[in-house]
Amino acid sequence: MDNPETFTRAFSLNSLLQAREKRAARQDKWLTRYHQPVISLTLVTPGPVKTSARYENIMGVALRVCDQWISQNHWPLTARQVNWLATGPEALWCVDHPAAELKKQLAEIEQTHPLGRLWDFDVICPLSGVTDRKSLNHPARRCLVCDLPAIRCARSRRHPPQVVLDCVERIINDWFTRG
């Protein structure tokens, strides 16, 4: 879909879990069809609202960054798909390049781009499954609020939701007001 619609309503946990299952099914279908690594992009959108005009804009930046990165490295792109869903935008790329190298560089982009903390790039290898930071001896993603491992804070609900959302909004505001 080329023209994203703007959705600002909240979704139930069940709806979000169903969206995750559908995304996993799309990933599996691509792995079976193309037999090459798949890059899957979602946004870090804490809270029940998963898309808005602001989230669509930061997804657009992520799409441009990833497309340019693939092109600049001259890696063969087998397929690309963007889904502007009410439960949040998602994108898939199938790239003919080793999964570990893709993940290594994408983790670097997540850490260094001003919006990178809000992007979640997963890389799935058709032979070995998800290539994660741990398998590359990279540190875990850090919490947006306190710099502890993000998974630890998320699971324990260490920070009030509004504090986390305020951090997300600050990152977005800093990007859009940069000089």
Side-chain angles (χ1 to χ4, degrees):
M1 290 185 238
D2 291 328
N3 296 324
E5 295 180 74
T6 301
F7 300 93
T8 56
R9 65 184 175 116
F11 287 88
S12 69
L13 178 59
N14 190 44
S15 295
L16 297 174
L17 291 174
Q18 287 176 354
R20 183 180 291 173
E21 288 176 14
K22 289 178 182 177
R23 181 171 56 251
R26 280 191 296 278
Q27 293 166 349
D28 287 343
K29 183 177 178 180
W30 278 36
L31 290 167
T32 301
R33 181 176 181 186
Y34 299 115
H35 306 285
Q36 294 173 346
V38 171
I39 299 168
S40 179
L41 169 65
T42 56
L43 299 179
V44 176
T45 54
V49 175
K50 298 300 176 189
T51 194
S52 66
R54 288 166 65 82
Y55 288 161
E56 289 169 358
N57 285 331
I58 64 171
M59 181 64 159
V61 175
L63 294 171
R64 283 190 300 280
V65 166
C66 193
D67 288 341
Q68 289 171 354
W69 168 71
I70 291 167
S71 176
Q72 288 170 352
N73 282 288
H74 307 286
W75 293 329
L77 178 64
T78 305
R80 179 187 184 272
Q81 180 181 62
V82 180
N83 296 307
W84 299 97
L85 306 173
T87 52
E90 303 174 358
L92 295 174
W93 291 263
C94 186
V95 180
D96 187 6
H97 194 75
E101 180 64 22
L102 294 172
K103 182 60 181 180
K104 177 182 174 188
Q105 290 191 30
L106 286 167
E108 182 69 21
I109 290 170
E110 288 172 341
Q111 289 301 119
T112 59
H113 191 282
L115 290 173
R117 303 271 317 265
L118 304 181
W119 303 336
D120 187 11
F121 284 104
D122 292 327
V123 177
I124 307 106
C125 175
L127 300 175
S128 58
V130 175
T131 303
D132 59 13
R133 289 167 177 255
K134 187 176 183 179
S135 69
L136 300 173
N137 295 319
H138 280 187
R141 287 183 77 118
R142 309 314 288 176
C143 174
L144 294 170
V145 177
C146 72
D147 207 40
L148 287 172
I151 192 74
R152 194 152 128 214
C153 291
R155 285 186 179 154
S156 70
R157 298 177 192 244
R158 180 181 182 101
H159 310 291
Q162 190 57 52
V163 171
V164 180
L165 286 171
D166 289 346
C167 286
V168 168
E169 288 301 312
R170 188 170 37 258
I171 292 169
I172 295 170
N173 288 339
D174 287 349
W175 172 257
F176 287 115
T177 60
R178 69 195 185 284

